[in-house]
Amino acid sequence: MAAAVWGAQRFAGRAARLFLLPGRASRMLCTATQKKSTGPNLEEEPSHHHNEQKSDSDSAATAKLLTEEKTKLEEQLKEMTDKYKRALADVENLRQRTQKLVEESKLYGIQSFCKDLLEVADVLEKATESVPKEELKDENPHLKNLYEGLAMTEVQMQKVFGKHGLVKLNPLGAKFDPYEHEALFHVPMEGKEPGTVALVSKVGYKLHGRTLRPALVGVVKEP
């Protein structure tokens, strides 16, 4: 009897194991499938690494292009700045030259007119010098009045000349200056320093410091 009961229990246990085996195997298969699906994808890793390398390469190329463009723009800016400064300097130089020309035209615009008047001044000077001083007496009033009139005219003309910057040069006894004097001859003369003006044949004139007509002179030379 006991043996029969034990045999029945053993048979029931085997039947239960056989009945539960397919469900357990199914659960184990599902678990393995989930682990496979949730595990690391070995095929996607190389592709992802390749994309990162490509992105780094593109960033480096873009940075290089930007650096080159920046350098190019800086060079262009420097070049344009230099051109701008040179243009400013040229304009300033032009302005100064134009201003100088305007000022000189104001000062020396009457140069030709003054040269013509110098001939009149020379005639007046020669006229007054040619009158003998001993003849200027009350017994000869006409000559005396004429001389006084010429002398007054000459004085007034020199005042007008001075008002407009025209100055007479009478360098008798002065050191010879080639910028203001023109040597007609050289003559030895005792008691005079060589290189000085011994005789003034024709006076000169300067207009605002510029020689308008050099004085014609004779210069002392060494004996």
Side-chain angles (χ1 to χ4, degrees):
M1 183 69 177
V5 174
W6 180 80
Q9 290 178 350
R10 184 178 180 184
F11 176 78
R14 288 181 178 180
R17 283 196 300 271
L18 290 174
F19 179 76
L20 294 174
L21 180 60
R24 184 179 181 184
S26 178
R27 286 194 300 271
M28 292 177 65
L29 180 61
C30 290
T31 303
T33 303
Q34 290 178 357
K35 289 183 178 181
K36 182 178 181 181
S37 61
T38 57
N41 192 344
L42 298 178
E43 293 181 355
E44 292 181 357
E45 285 186 356
S47 177
H48 180 68
H49 183 66
H50 177 71
N51 291 334
E52 289 181 352
Q53 290 181 346
K54 185 177 180 181
S55 178
D56 294 340
S57 178
D58 293 342
S59 300
T62 303
K64 183 178 180 182
L65 289 176
L66 291 175
T67 303
E68 292 177 354
E69 187 67 19
K70 177 185 176 183
T71 303
K72 184 178 179 180
L73 291 175
E74 288 177 347
E75 291 177 354
Q76 291 179 353
L77 177 61
K78 183 179 179 181
E79 183 179 358
M80 293 300 296
T81 303
D82 292 340
K83 288 182 179 180
Y84 175 71
K85 290 181 179 179
R86 286 196 296 268
L88 284 180
D90 292 339
V91 170
E92 179 63 20
N93 292 334
L94 178 61
R95 187 192 66 81
Q96 292 180 358
R97 288 196 300 268
T98 303
Q99 183 178 1
K100 184 178 180 180
L101 289 174
V102 171
E103 293 176 354
E104 288 182 353
S105 65
K106 292 179 180 178
L107 292 176
Y108 306 108
I110 60 173
Q111 182 171 323
S112 298
F113 179 67
C114 290
K115 282 185 177 181
D116 294 336
L117 285 180
L118 294 183
E119 300 298 329
V120 180
D122 292 339
V123 172
L124 284 175
E125 185 177 4
K126 288 185 179 297
T128 55
E129 289 177 353
S130 64
V131 177
K133 300 299 184 292
E134 61 273 9
E135 297 294 332
L136 300 176
K137 299 179 181 179
D138 294 337
E139 291 81 7
N140 197 353
H142 298 290
L143 180 61
K144 184 178 180 181
N145 292 335
L146 178 61
Y147 174 80
E148 289 178 353
L150 291 174
M152 290 176 62
T153 302
E154 183 181 7
V155 171
Q156 186 63 30
M157 181 171 284
Q158 292 299 324
K159 287 182 179 180
V160 173
F161 284 175
K163 181 180 178 180
H164 293 280
L166 188 62
V167 181
K168 180 190 287 189
L169 293 176
N170 190 357
L172 183 63
K175 194 74 174 178
F176 177 76
D177 186 350
Y179 296 102
E180 297 181 356
H181 314 145
E182 181 178 344
L184 299 178
F185 55 88
H186 292 79
V187 59
M189 187 174 294
E190 294 183 0
K192 297 289 184 178
E193 182 182 357
T196 58
V197 176
L199 177 67
V200 178
S201 176
K202 193 174 185 179
V203 296
Y205 283 88
K206 294 178 72 174
L207 179 62
H208 295 291
R210 178 188 294 180
T211 301
L212 182 63
R213 187 183 75 182
L216 303 181
V217 301
V219 184
V220 178
K221 70 176 182 179
E222 294 181 0

